[in-house]
Amino acid sequence: MDLLEYQVKEWFGEIGIPVLPSQRIDHPTDLKRLKIHYPIVLKSQVHAGEREKAGGVRMVETTIDAIAAAQNIFNLSIWGQLPEVLLAESKYDAQQEFYLAVVLDTAVCRPVLLGSTEANIDLELADQKMQYVVVEQEFSPFYARRLALKMGLQGTLMQSVSTVLEKMYQLFVQKDLDLVEINPLGVNQAGEVMALNGKVRVNERSIGRHPEIAAMATKTVNRHDYRNKTNGRLGELNSLDKQGKIGILGNGTGSIMATYDLVVSSGGKPGISLNLRHATITDAAPTKFYDRLIKGLNTLVENNTQVILINLLGSVPQPEEAAQAIAQFIIQNKGDQPLLTKSNGSKRSHHHSPHLVVRLAGSELNAARDILTALKTHEDGLILLEDLDEAVAAAVRLTKSPVQKKVS
């Protein structure tokens, strides 16, 4: 369960992580009773990324402008989500912006501290610019200072960042979290640090041990029929909405967002949406796109997805291998045969085969298109298209078809 930003900021303030003066806005008229000084930043509170690009973050300098902006943001759908709450926050002039996180690395079963002197870094370069320290024993300030030093920080700034990391780890343990993230951590001209945005992911198995978190989870379930529909930073395969009928696989956040929005606007119900472009920074071993594609296909089938919509745009590493993975998936799912083999050699459980719609766009995918075109002559269950609108329409049409035609 992911918290909204205003909830994250409340937790940060309680534990001692510096946050800006802010106020929850439930209705545009609340801005007439604003307790913080202009200029302010209005932020849409939704479980979705790319808020700023979508227009969900606005800086305003007067009450009139704030009310008008709030009305627009309340009516702005981002990934099919309308905010019920906005966050009004003081403007902050950051001279530098860092990235910090404490994350549970399931590969080594230990917490890991992550840090970079660049916020919102290009994921292609994340492994080069991100520093990390594995918390191998009982936590001590040593781990936080070690990460700050690896980030190249010195003096007062090193101490300030280390202190924030200690508080983040304290929150991580107290609340049984899977992730505590500050992105960005702003640094002003005086060298003071400020958590400008944050993300918290609660371990769902631990919710029952925390009554206040259980109450938050209940409200979330009652108000929304969605969870975070897209992968978190670095493309982890962990954002599952088991209610949607159309599972989405893509090779970039932008392509997944576009696909998701088109499915919603076409009357479909998107479900699990996975970004296969990147593995996690702390993976014990490198992963190939082929492996992530197979894992994504299996994840969707195991959750009984009715239609799998694959949207590959532009460059994909080893496109022939990606096409072979799709071909293998189709062949092994003919007639509800056992699914792809697990990494340990065992077979997965019995599931119904989903429909498969594949959209390939870009000359670099010609090799993959040739392989799947040849396969399509023998497998009439595969729908192969180049136009995204047509692919989405086909996927939505399949979910509404009275006859369940399998991939065969």
Side-chain angles (χ1 to χ4, degrees):
M1 183 184 79
D2 288 353
L3 271 60
L4 293 169
E5 182 190 359
Y6 81 93
Q7 297 168 322
V8 173
K9 295 287 183 65
E10 289 176 358
W11 280 12
F12 282 179
E14 291 170 0
I15 203 108
I17 296 173
V19 292
L20 293 166
S22 63
Q23 185 172 328
R24 168 177 166 164
I25 305 298
D26 295 290
H27 189 274
T29 55
D30 291 347
L31 289 159
K32 295 179 180 179
R33 297 175 292 276
L34 194 64
K35 298 177 181 178
I36 56 180
H37 299 293
Y38 287 96
I40 64 169
V41 179
L42 290 174
K43 299 181 179 181
S44 178
Q45 298 297 285
V46 292
H47 291 288
E50 308 291 338
R51 290 180 305 172
E52 189 168 359
K53 291 182 180 180
V57 178
R58 299 275 298 275
M59 196 274 285
V60 291
E61 298 188 357
T62 67
T63 301
I64 294 176
D65 290 341
I67 292 174
Q71 289 173 338
N72 289 332
I73 296 174
F74 270 118
N75 290 290
L76 177 66
S77 175
I78 303 176
W79 279 70
Q81 303 174 34
L82 286 172
E84 296 184 355
V85 177
L86 305 186
L87 180 67
E89 194 170 61
S90 296
K91 185 175 178 293
Y92 186 80
D93 293 321
Q95 301 299 309
Q96 292 177 282
E97 292 186 344
F98 298 162
Y99 174 90
L100 298 177
V102 182
V103 61
L104 180 63
D105 188 337
T106 55
V108 297
C109 297
R110 298 299 304 170
V112 176
L113 308 182
L114 298 173
S116 173
T117 51
E118 295 184 34
N120 303 311
I121 60 176
D122 186 338
L123 297 182
E124 295 282 3
L125 305 174
D127 58 341
Q128 303 173 24
K129 298 186 177 182
M130 192 79 70
Q131 305 296 327
Y132 71 92
V133 172
V134 179
V135 182
E136 298 174 340
Q137 300 176 351
E138 183 177 354
F139 183 81
S140 74
F142 160 77
Y143 288 106
R145 289 196 296 270
R146 182 181 176 191
L147 179 63
L149 287 171
K150 290 183 72 173
M151 292 169 62
L153 306 181
Q154 298 178 349
T156 304
L157 186 56
M158 183 202 72
Q159 185 58 50
S160 298
V161 172
S162 298
T163 300
V164 170
L165 281 164
E166 291 176 40
K167 297 293 185 181
M168 292 171 67
Y169 189 87
Q170 184 180 347
L171 181 64
F172 179 84
V173 173
Q174 283 185 1
K175 304 290 188 180
D176 285 321
L177 305 178
D178 285 339
L179 170 71
V180 180
E181 179 183 87
I182 298 178
N183 185 26
L185 179 77
V187 184
N188 65 12
Q189 196 166 13
E192 300 167 332
V193 297
M194 187 70 64
L196 301 183
N197 196 2
K199 182 175 182 179
V200 162
R201 178 169 298 147
V202 179
N203 187 306
E204 295 187 0
R205 293 183 296 274
S206 69
I207 290 177
R209 296 196 292 270
H210 302 275
E212 76 283 6
I213 300 177
M216 294 166 66
T218 300
K219 290 180 181 179
T220 299
V221 170
N222 289 339
R223 291 178 180 176
H224 306 285
D225 61 353
Y226 60 81
R227 296 172 66 184
N228 188 8
K229 300 300 193 300
T230 185
N231 303 102
R233 190 186 56 81
L234 304 180
E236 297 171 277
L237 303 181
N238 60 2
S239 295
L240 309 182
D241 178 0
K242 300 181 182 180
Q243 304 303 315
K245 295 181 179 181
I246 301 175
I248 300 170
L249 299 178
N251 63 325
T253 301
S255 65
I256 291 178
M257 287 181 67
T259 308
Y260 183 96
D261 286 338
L262 279 174
V263 170
V264 172
S265 63
S266 300
K269 189 173 184 181
I272 303 171
S273 300
L274 303 176
N275 182 1
L276 307 179
R277 187 173 184 182
H278 303 281
T280 60
I281 189 70
T282 55
D283 271 347
T287 61
K288 296 168 60 178
F289 186 84
Y290 172 88
D291 301 320
R292 297 195 292 275
L293 178 55
I294 289 179
K295 184 177 180 180
L297 288 165
N298 284 333
T299 298
L300 295 179
V301 174
E302 288 174 344
N303 286 277
N304 296 315
T305 302
Q306 186 176 341
V307 178
I308 296 177
L309 175 55
I310 302 176
N311 179 17
L312 301 183
L313 173 66
S315 176
V316 171
Q318 293 83 42
E320 298 91 342
E321 289 189 5
Q324 292 294 347
I326 296 172
Q328 179 188 358
F329 171 82
I330 295 173
I331 293 170
Q332 292 193 353
N333 277 275
K334 287 180 65 176
D336 290 344
Q337 294 297 315
L339 302 182
L340 298 174
T341 304
K342 290 184 178 180
S343 59
N344 61 8
S346 64
K347 293 291 184 180
R348 299 184 185 272
S349 58
H350 185 81
H351 292 277
H352 290 293
S353 299
H355 304 282
L356 189 63
V357 179
V358 180
R359 183 258 183 155
L360 301 177
S363 59
E364 295 184 24
L365 294 173
N366 285 341
R369 187 179 296 105
D370 292 342
I371 292 173
L372 293 180
T373 299
L375 177 68
K376 190 175 183 298
T377 61
H378 304 286
E379 307 291 343
D380 60 4
L382 170 64
I383 297 178
L384 180 63
L385 298 165
E386 186 170 353
D387 184 82
L388 180 57
D389 290 330
E390 293 178 5
V392 168
V396 173
R397 185 169 60 250
L398 286 170
T399 65
K400 297 180 179 180
S401 173
V403 178
Q404 293 297 307
K405 184 178 179 182
K406 299 172 184 176
V407 174
S408 59

